[in-house]
């Protein structure tokens, strides 16, 4: 990998921390949300595609809880809506 790649990576990581806060804080919140989901909703025989969509929505909600920048907040809201649409499509496929 090139130095340009690592420079880009470091810039991206710095921007994400500015947008969403320190990764240890946001990942702790995401882990708590996913643990709750898996205990409450996931079947004993494995994680379904619907569970993945729901858990990605929880990830976006955890990011929103950290008070991101306006641009990052808008991006997370759009992603949240997108995952909700995916969840609805997967639910339709299973009915």
């Amino acid at each position: 990998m090139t130095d340009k790649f690592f420079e880009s990576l470091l810039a991206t990581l710095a921007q994400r921390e500015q947008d969403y806060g320190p990764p240890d804080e946001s990942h702790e919140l995401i882990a708590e949300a996913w643990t709750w989901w898996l205990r409450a909703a996931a079947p004993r025989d494995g994680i379904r595609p619907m569970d993945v969509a729901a858990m990605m929505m929880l990830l976006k909600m955890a990011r929103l809880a950290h008070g991101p920048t306006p641009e990052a907040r808008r991006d997370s809201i759009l992603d949240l809506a997108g995952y909700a649409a995916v969840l609805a499509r997967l639910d339709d496929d299973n009915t």
Side-chain angles (χ1 to χ4, degrees):
M1 295 191 197
T2 66
D3 289 339
K4 188 174 182 177
F5 171 81
F6 286 112
E7 289 173 13
S8 177
L9 173 62
L10 292 174
T12 299
L13 292 174
Q15 184 63 51
R16 292 295 185 275
E17 186 161 344
Q18 181 180 341
D19 290 343
Y20 302 111
D24 57 323
E25 293 176 13
S26 62
H27 283 72
E28 180 65 30
L29 189 56
I30 293 164
E32 290 173 9
W34 285 6
T35 298
W36 168 81
W37 180 267
L38 290 172
R39 286 184 181 148
R44 289 186 171 77
D45 59 344
I47 297 171
R48 303 164 297 177
M50 289 178 59
D51 295 316
V52 173
M55 291 168 65
M56 293 305 294
M57 291 173 65
L58 291 170
L59 179 146
K60 294 301 177 175
M61 292 173 71
R63 283 186 164 184
L64 286 170
H66 274 276
T69 64
E71 297 82 16
R73 183 173 50 249
R74 178 75 173 165
D75 183 60
S76 290
I77 292 168
L78 288 171
D79 287 347
L80 184 57
Y83 285 118
V86 169
L87 180 60
R89 180 177 175 183
L90 292 169
D91 187 48
D92 286 346
D93 291 347
N94 289 319
T95 57

